Amino acid sequence: MPEPGAKTVIEATDEQMVEETERNEAMKAPAHRDVRTGRSPGRVAWDRLKVDKVAIVCMVIILFFILVAVFAPFLYSLQGVDPVTGAEADPYTVHTELVDFNGLPTVGASSAHWLGVEPRLGRDLFARWAVGARPSLIIGFVAAAVSTLLGVTLGLLAGYVGGWTDRVITWVTDFFLSLPILLLVIAIVPIMQKSIAGDADLTAEQTSSIRFYVLIAILIVFGWMGLARLVRGEVKSLREREFVQAARAIGVPTRQILFKEVLPNLVGPIIVSASIAVPAYITYEATLSYLGVGLVEPTASWGRTIADAQNLFATYPLWLWPSVIGLSLLVLALSLLGDSIRDAFDPSSRR
């Protein structure tokens, strides 16, 4: 039998328990609370790039030059009709009536020619500057994309398969790295041009077209080695990791291991390498055109323009400086963007 007043004590205890339960429920976090989830390295790098002011400025500059190259005909069509020739500006039509007997332009920058006209030939300089961005961008991005694909493929095979495959690919890589690339390119371009043309007499347009594709091929052939060595080293480390060993133990096909398990862990180094390769290839194209083994007339190219204008830069600076400034800004923006991407994928960087 309970003592007198025990019922009252039990009821009081029940009320305290109810109050305690209600208080605990009130203190619980709301159902919509923000729960942090894991983020992939790519997402982390993108979040860091979005707040990197240098990367944002560089992307704006690169986008500007891409738009200039894509919409070049529309841009130079905005210029007025020349009052002397009565013709609209374009990058290829020669107007000798706009230059004097010394070859110097008789007209300067105007609404019909925003950057003036070219000495000796009278072609519109703004039209040639806008169209001249195309070869540099196409060669840079295409060569970087294909050489990256080639370097990743050979690096994956060498690092994962090993054995004789690794030895052969490593030997070929070291052999190509030991070659003087610039001297070889200067010698190879005319040889390949001659072998493609045979005994036929080529026009200037055909010569420039052949050299355009030859330059892309040469940059691809001599541009994959660094990335291949980087990927090989990373793959040799990854193939000993537990998740790769587990996939091999349960019989996952090699191709699936490479593309589903190994390759996603190499996205960061691959993107960084490709972003650094683009400005290097653009510089190569301009340098080779400047040396006379790249693109030739009448194709508009910044490197070709710089080579032609170097002797008249003091007399007519509008011929030289737009191409110099455009090439310098584009290469600088691509280089700084590559550095920003590298820092974004580097966990130890505080940038």
Side-chain angles (χ1 to χ4, degrees), residues 44-45 48 272 340-351:
V44 173
R48 299 182 73 181
V272 170
S340 297
I341 294 174
R342 180 184 59 199
D343 292 340
F345 276 98
D346 184 4
S348 63
S349 174
R350 296 184 179 180
R351 182 172 176 175

Side-chain angles (χ1 to χ4, degrees), residues 155-171:
L156 282 173
L157 290 175
Y160 189 81
V161 178
W164 283 104
T165 303
D166 184 20
R167 293 191 187 97
V168 171
I169 294 177
T170 301
W171 183 87

Side-chain angles (χ1 to χ4, degrees), residues 57 79 151 199 206 209 230 232 254 298 300 328 348:
V57 172
Q79 300 179 111
D199 296 331
Q206 292 173 331
S209 178
L230 175 64
R232 171 184 174 271
T254 300
S328 301
S348 63

Side-chain angles (χ1 to χ4, degrees), residues 207-341:
T207 301
S208 188
S209 178
I210 290 174
R211 288 195 175 190
F212 177 80
Y213 294 106
V214 168
L215 283 178
I216 293 177
I218 289 175
L219 291 177
I220 291 172
V221 170
F222 290 101
W224 58 268
M225 294 85 68
L227 181 58
R229 294 184 69 176
L230 175 64
V231 171
R232 171 184 174 271
E234 293 290 334
V235 172
K236 288 177 74 71
S237 174
L238 288 171
R239 73 179 183 181
E240 305 301 330
R241 301 283 293 274
E242 293 81 0
F243 64 93
V244 176
Q245 293 294 334
R248 296 173 68 176
I250 63 177
V252 177
T254 300
R255 185 167 66 90
Q256 187 173 345
I257 293 176
L258 288 176
F259 290 99
K260 294 291 185 64
E261 305 293 341
V262 177
L263 192 58
N265 291 279
L266 301 174
V267 171
I270 292 171
I271 293 177
V272 170
S273 177
S275 63
I276 295 176
V278 174
Y281 291 151
I282 290 176
T283 305
Y284 259 112
E285 182 275 325
T287 301
L288 294 173
S289 296
Y290 177 83
L291 294 175
V293 293
L295 303 178
V296 297
E297 291 289 350
T299 301
S301 167
W302 286 346
R304 182 73 261 165
T305 300
I306 293 171
D308 293 338
Q310 61 179 336
N311 295 325
L312 289 176
F313 72 93
T315 306
Y316 199 70
L318 279 176
W319 193 12
L320 175 70
W321 290 116
S323 297
V324 171
I325 293 172
L327 182 62
S328 301
L329 272 179
L330 179 59
V331 172
L332 179 62
L334 287 166
S335 300
L336 291 178
L337 180 60
D339 291 340
S340 297
I341 294 174

Side-chain angles (χ1 to χ4, degrees), residues 92-113:
Y92 303 112
T93 304
V94 175
H95 293 290
T96 54
E97 59 268 34
L98 298 179
V99 298
D100 59 19
F101 64 92
N102 291 320
L104 295 177
T106 57
V107 297
S110 64
S111 60
H113 305 285

